[in-house]
Every structure is written in structure tokens, then in C-alpha cells.
Amino acid sequence: MKQSVSLTALIFGVFALSTSAIFVKLAESPSAITAFYRLLFTLLLLLPSVLFSRKRRAEFHNLGKKQRILSVSAGILLAIHYILWFESLNYTSVASSTVIVTLQPLFSILLETIFLKERQNKVALVGCLIAIAGSCVIGYGDFQSGSQALLGDLLALLAAAFISIYFFIGQLMRKTTSASLYSVLGYSGSVIFLAIYALINQESFFPYPSATWQCFFGLAVVSTIFGQFLFNLLLKWCSATTVSVSILGEPVGTCILAFFILHETIGARQGIGIAVILGGLTLYFLSGTISTHLKCGSDMKI
């Protein structure tokens, strides 16, 4: 797969992921239940690609114990990420929560530097920091909105840390494991963890309004399969940092969608923040990072 196709896929995935906060905000359900059905529906949609594929079944049987544990553990981290992030949306705005959670490149860079001893391209790093600064411009209002908004921001920041570790494990796993098998194992761990969490907290799995079920399905198909699963696919050739930096574009899509769907205003500050984010992302991907991290080939292992 050519580099231009990989970049296009990243952009498409970011736009799909931008719908997450909108669906979560519209769903009339507890955070854990929203996350549970999001990943349960995703798992059910992806499971046939493993169960009915002789190649994938053989791959599962040949998978080592350590790889299985890592995959399931990644899913549990993803579940915790969703609980924290969805809960943050109860305390702060869609735009600000999304902005904070997309600060994950800071954690990704730290993980790759410590554990993989990777040296960061200085120009790319500047582009990343510029994009992060743009995110902070968008979310600046909440830093002055009192303790409730700050609690939401803190939950979103913790969510960013957990999703960074999830993508880091994915980067390691995708060197030897197909995206479909890795995702199915991970989402299985997520679903089991979220089911136990919901039961402990005595949260009801039903009934919910039809509009909420539509949000669950939208989260699974649009936000997860066309967003997060696509990133799992690209982790074969992209570093976790490259994926994380690209996700910095999520607040742009979310702000635009929130404007049209939730009628949240886009003021001058948000407009400036969007422009800064796009400028930083442009610098990052033009810095030569694309040729370093988008190691693409024709043997895509789905």
C-alpha cells in the first residue's frame, strides 16, 4: 500500500473517530453501558472474519501465551479508557473533552523513547507540539470553568494515557499478528471487563430508547470499525506516535459536528485552535516522519 493511501486512511479514520463524542453525548445511557455496547457490537461484526477464516483460526492456535495476554490486556486498557473518557463528557464540553483526550501523543512519544529507544524527528516534534497547542486553545475555556469542568478534563487526561498504552501495545502486536485477530481478542477483553464493571455498579443493560441503540451501533460501525480498527490495521506500518498525532485532528471534526448536531458554538478561539492544529499536523507529516513511520507494503495483513 502506497504512502499516500496510508495517509488518506489516517485522515478517514480521524474523521470517523470524530463522531465518537457526538454519539456518546446523544446516548441516554451510563458510560460503562455505552462503552460495553460499542465494543460488543464491534466484536460481533468482526468475529466472523476470524471464526470463518482458516488462516485466522490457525493464527490463533499458533499465538503464544504472552501475545494472547497482551492482546486481552490491551482490550482492558481500552475499556478503562472509554469509561474515563465517556464519564468526562458528563462534566465538560464535547470539544474540551476531545481536546484533552487527544493529548495522547505526549504519552506515546514518552513510551517510544523509553521502551523502544526511538529518537524523535525534531521538526515532527515541533509540529506535534504546535498541534497540541491548538488543542489547548480550543479547550482553554474549561480551565476557567470551575472544579466540575476541571474534573472532566482530568478524567479525559487519564483516558489519554490509557489509550496511548493501548496503541503502543498494538504497535508491538501488529508486527506478528493480524489486525482482525488482535482486535477480536482485545475487544473480547474489553467486553468482559465492561460487563463485570457494569454489574458491580448495578447498571442496567436495558431497556434504552431506540435513539440510544442507534448511537451504540453508530459508535461500533462508524467510530470503531472505520476509526479505531482502521488504526489497528495501520499500526503494521505506522508508529503509535504517528497514529496518536494524526488523532490530534479529531477535535477539528468533533467541533464541526458538534456545531451542526449539538448546536455548540464555534467561536473565534475554537477557530484559531482549529487553524493551529491543522498547521501543526501539516508540519508533522511534511517533516519526513511519513517516510520514516509509514512503512507500507503490499502484504497488508488484515
Side-chain angles (χ1 to χ4, degrees), residues 19-59:
T19 63
S20 296
I22 306 299
F23 284 127
V24 172
K25 201 77 170 181
L26 292 174
E28 298 177 13
S29 57
S31 301
I33 296 298
T34 302
F36 170 79
Y37 280 117
R38 170 180 184 165
L39 295 175
L40 176 63
F41 289 159
T42 302
L43 176 62
L44 293 176
L45 290 169
L46 290 178
L47 197 55
S49 68
V50 173
L51 291 180
F52 300 115
S53 169
R54 181 179 299 176
K55 185 177 182 181
R56 294 294 163 253
R57 292 199 305 270
E59 181 185 358

Side-chain angles (χ1 to χ4, degrees), residues 100-163:
I100 300 299
V101 86
T102 52
L103 295 180
Q104 57 189 269
L106 295 176
F107 298 100
S108 295
I109 290 172
L110 186 63
L111 288 169
E112 290 186 0
T113 301
I114 294 174
F115 294 102
L116 301 182
K117 309 300 181 184
E118 289 191 5
R119 298 182 63 182
Q120 303 297 326
N121 181 310
K122 292 182 179 179
V123 177
L125 189 57
V126 170
C128 173
L129 292 175
I130 290 174
I132 289 173
S135 293
C136 292
V137 169
I138 292 178
Y140 176 74
D142 273 3
F143 298 135
Q144 299 179 322
S145 299
S147 59
Q148 188 175 44
L150 284 174
L151 174 59
D153 294 337
L154 177 60
L155 291 173
L157 185 63
L158 290 173
F162 278 100
I163 195 66

